[in-house]
Amino acid sequence: MHQSPLLKKGTLSVAFAIIFANAIAQETVPFYYDFDYTPDSVGWQQSENKSQLFRSPLQQAGRAGISYGFAKGTLTNFNVADKETGIRAYGESYFKLSPRTMVYGLAAFSSDKERGTAGSAFLSGRTHAFNLVLMDQTNKGDRKTETYQIQGAVGHQLNNRLSVGGKFDYRGINMARTKDLRHTNQGLDLTLSPSVSLLLSDKIRTGVHYSYNRYIEGIKFNLYGTTDRQYFTLVDFGAFYGKQELFDTNGYTTKGENTPYVEQIHKAGWQLEYKPTHRLYLFNEFVWGKGDGYFGKQASAAIQYTRHEVNQWSDRLVAYYRGKRLLQQLELRIGYQRYQNYENSWRTETSGSGNSIIEYYGQNKVGERAYTNLAADYSIEWGKPEENGKWRLSLGSAFAQRELQAILYPYYRTQNLQLYRHRLGAIHQRAVGKIQLTLHGAVAFASGSGTPYTDKVFVTPSTDEGTPANADHYLMQEYNYLTARKLQPEAGFRIMMPVKKMSYYLSTTYHAEIPTGTTSVAGNRNHIHCAIGVNF
């Protein structure tokens, strides 16, 4: 695995610039800004529209630290390792350049190791139009992932009514599986978002933003051990249903070929803020997006295997009421995303000069994936606002529906799952001398329903027509994990100690997943996360 020295130096430079900018600042906030605990009482904070960033009462606030995560247990999805460890170094900061201008910056590096992985060959954490699944469930190997991230934002008030802003987010990702069938993945995830907002009256403000996201993930398969064994990969068009491919043949997993998965999405967002009184605040944001992508290469002598289309939209409503000592907040979210995937039909032709070229003569729809998400979160906190509150209680519920269809005419498979999660949490913050102690705990319950799959045909197939391949052993592992009733307790603490104009912090969180009343899954899973750093 190799990362450009220039990118490494750039990442470190941004991190040191963030720290240096805050070190020379002349003003500090009255109480150290809590990046983890401060509630998003202003809807703009979570928006891609950063034109209102300057409204923050902060003059400067930053932190830098190192965190460590560990997870172990057999209660996992099909593509999650039995054991995971990760370390992350980060620095982030808000800095007000003037009463009308504020900037934000983040630089981070993480290194993660997974021991005992199988299943998906793509990078985890992002939805793809289809999947490449290593068929042998017993051939588990280790993976290592490195991620570099640089993020920045600025908000500037042009005049009393008009403001502009912008945000960029860059992630570079390298991953390698260290056991045959080996593969290396190199990902680039870039988002650019210019924005503008306008004050219509003393109670109403509106804004719009445009967001462009480009994602490229190159994947290369290879062997370094004995070659007398056959390795099979499932080209999964949905619900682990598709075509089986033998490694070292022409196809999705051609030996030694760096094949890219490319996707670009254009989004447009509209924000509306309404503040009828100085205590009541309403914010709504609607975002619509459309994009496309492909797997393969756009060249006359190379193959583009698939192309896909993406449609998505989301809406978020935030309402809060601030009393003298109480703050109540309600957030409602809904989102929808759909992928439609098409496989190209092609053949190799020889040009007049004797060169081989790829000629396409059609395409077939092979898959569709639709995801719907609903969530509601309510919180109430009381205490002095400048101390971020003494107590905070939160209650949340989430619902997700996943609808998959894979087509290899005349056969097709469908899957429809409904997933639920309910969570109750509490945070208590108090001062012990000069030390600030934060205790937090939560308990969640997750479950699901639906049928793992339904296989049908459009028309009766001919006797010589082969049936599609599947990886039903993975399908059932995923289905059982997603739908099993699970209790998810969480507890942790954080200590912050001020030293001159800075404060040092130490935090630890424990999280578990425990199945209840079910025999479809075995074991449990434990997660531990620790962080140490400094606020400045």
Side-chain angles (χ1 to χ4, degrees):
M1 295 176 55
H2 175 71
Q3 183 71 25
S4 165
L6 181 60
L7 178 56
K8 288 184 177 180
K9 292 180 180 179
T11 304
L12 293 175
S13 297
V14 173
F16 286 125
I18 293 171
I19 296 173
F20 179 73
N22 286 276
I24 63 174
Q26 300 299 313
E27 299 182 69
T28 59
V29 292
F31 197 94
Y32 290 105
Y33 183 74
D34 194 332
F35 287 83
D36 297 316
Y37 174 60
T38 303
D40 273 320
S41 57
V42 178
W44 299 94
Q45 288 179 326
Q46 289 183 339
S47 173
E48 291 292 303
N49 188 327
K50 295 303 179 184
S51 61
Q52 291 297 301
L53 192 61
F54 72 93
R55 287 171 62 185
S56 171
L58 299 170
Q59 293 301 313
Q60 64 87 20
R63 70 172 173 179
I66 298 176
S67 65
Y68 171 79
F70 172 83
K72 185 178 181 181
T74 57
L75 183 64
T76 66
N77 204 339
F78 81 102
N79 60 339
V80 177
D82 298 335
K83 181 180 178 181
E84 297 177 303
T85 59
I87 187 169
R88 182 173 184 260
Y90 53 89
E92 63 179 322
S93 171
Y94 290 95
F95 186 71
K96 185 161 285 189
L97 299 177
S98 73
R100 291 178 177 265
T101 306
M102 173 167 272
V103 296
Y104 167 79
L106 165 72
F109 166 77
S110 62
S111 177
D112 302 288
K113 293 182 179 180
E114 303 167 271
R115 297 182 179 179
T117 64
S120 176
F122 281 130
L123 291 169
S124 59
R126 185 182 177 99
T127 302
H128 291 68
F130 71 99
N131 204 353
L132 295 176
V133 179
L134 307 181
M135 291 288 284
D136 190 352
Q137 191 178 23
T138 64
N139 185 34
K140 293 187 175 182
D142 296 345
R143 293 195 305 192
K144 183 178 180 180
T145 304
E146 293 182 348
T147 303
Y148 300 80
Q149 181 182 12
I150 302 175
Q151 188 180 109
V154 60
H156 175 67
Q157 185 182 36
L158 293 174
N159 54 51
N160 292 336
R161 290 187 175 273
L162 185 63
S163 303
V164 296
K167 176 185 175 181
F168 76 89
D169 188 355
Y170 169 84
R171 297 172 190 259
I173 310 167
N174 287 341
M175 182 182 77
R177 173 182 160 93
T178 57
K179 184 177 182 180
D180 294 341
L181 179 63
R182 302 173 189 239
H183 57 85
T184 57
N185 303 56
Q186 292 184 323
L188 179 149
D189 195 350
L190 174 66
T191 301
L192 301 173
S193 301
S195 53
V196 63
S197 58
L198 179 66
L199 182 66
L200 301 179
S201 70
D202 58 348
K203 296 181 179 180
I204 301 176
R205 188 187 307 269
T206 188
V208 294
H209 81 272
Y210 163 77
S211 179
Y212 172 75
N213 174 254
R214 184 169 180 83
Y215 179 79
I216 303 175
E217 179 181 345
I219 182 168
K220 180 190 292 186
F221 292 88
N222 228 320
L223 292 179
Y224 291 95
T226 58
T227 58
D228 57 350
R229 178 177 176 179
Q230 292 184 323
Y231 295 90
F232 293 93
T233 302
L234 177 72
V235 182
D236 170 24
F237 294 125
F240 299 91
Y241 196 72
K243 55 176 62 176
Q244 182 174 272
E245 195 172 83
L246 174 64
F247 177 68
D248 208 19
T249 63
N250 290 326
Y252 290 74
T253 60
T254 301
K255 181 178 180 179
E257 285 288 333
N258 185 17
T259 308
Y261 177 95
V262 181
E263 185 174 284
Q264 58 181 6
I265 301 178
H266 303 268
K267 298 181 185 179
W270 172 63
Q271 299 82 29
L272 180 65
E273 172 191 291
Y274 178 53
K275 194 173 183 181
T277 70
H278 71 284
R279 297 190 182 278
L280 179 63
Y281 175 91
L282 300 171
F283 177 87
N284 189 80
E285 178 177 47
F286 177 81
V287 179
W288 174 85
K290 185 177 180 61
D292 54 36
Y294 58 89
F295 181 76
K297 298 181 179 179
Q298 291 183 318
S300 60
I303 303 169
Q304 184 185 104
Y305 297 97
T306 68
R307 75 166 190 87
H308 63 269
E309 300 171 353
V310 189
N311 290 277
Q312 57 183 226
W313 62 267
S314 64
D315 191 80
R316 180 171 62 97
L317 173 65
V318 179
Y320 80 80
Y321 181 82
R322 182 182 293 278
K324 292 182 179 180
R325 294 185 63 84
L326 290 179
L327 171 63
Q328 300 181 72
Q329 180 170 305
L330 175 67
E331 183 170 346
L332 304 175
R333 300 182 300 277
I334 181 173
Y336 177 79
Q337 184 176 42
R338 184 181 69 172
Y339 283 85
Q340 296 187 87
N341 193 34
Y342 301 85
E343 186 176 49
N344 291 322
S345 299
W346 56 273
R347 58 175 169 256
T348 303
E349 301 285 352
T350 303
S351 66
S353 59
N355 296 323
S356 296
I357 61 173
I358 304 301
E359 182 177 330
Y360 300 94
Y361 57 90
Q363 62 181 15
N364 299 307
K365 184 176 181 180
V366 290
E368 184 169 338
R369 300 174 181 236
Y371 305 89
T372 304
N373 296 281
L374 300 170
D377 293 289
Y378 170 78
S379 66
I380 180 171
E381 71 173 61
W382 55 93
K384 296 180 181 180
E386 64 269 19
E387 295 179 353
N388 296 327
K390 294 288 187 179
W391 280 95
R392 186 184 187 206
L393 300 178
S394 59
L395 176 65
S397 291
F399 166 79
Q401 177 168 286
R402 185 172 74 173
E403 301 170 279
L404 307 180
Q405 183 182 53
I407 305 170
L408 282 91
Y409 193 86
Y411 302 94
Y412 71 97
R413 167 178 285 189
T414 60
Q415 182 189 79
N416 193 326
L417 299 182
Q418 296 80 40
L419 309 176
Y420 313 87
R421 189 171 188 265
H422 311 286
R423 184 181 184 274
L424 175 65
I427 298 176
H428 179 53
Q429 197 174 58
R430 62 182 304 171
V432 182
K434 293 184 178 182
I435 297 176
Q436 180 188 342
L437 175 64
T438 302
L439 303 174
H440 61 90
V443 60
F445 179 76
S447 63
S449 61
T451 55
Y453 68 94
T454 301
D455 288 346
K456 294 183 178 181
V457 295
F458 292 105
V459 296
T460 303
S462 61
T463 56
D464 60 347
E465 197 156 12
T467 58
N470 66 71
D472 286 349
H473 51 292
Y474 285 132
L475 181 142
M476 293 310 301
Q477 181 181 353
E478 180 184 62
Y479 173 78
N480 290 332
Y481 171 77
L482 293 177
T483 61
R485 295 187 295 274
K486 300 182 291 290
L487 192 65
Q488 300 171 329
E490 177 185 314
F493 70 90
R494 184 185 56 203
I495 298 173
M496 284 204 305
M497 177 181 294
V499 177
K500 295 183 179 180
K501 292 186 177 182
M502 299 186 296
S503 69
Y504 296 87
Y505 64 85
L506 169 68
S507 67
T508 299
T509 299
Y510 168 77
H511 169 72
E513 293 184 271
I514 306 168
T516 61
T518 179
T519 58
S520 60
V521 293
N524 53 33
R525 192 164 179 86
N526 298 285
H527 308 252
I528 296 176
H529 182 269
C530 304
I532 186 170
V534 58
N535 294 325
F536 45 84

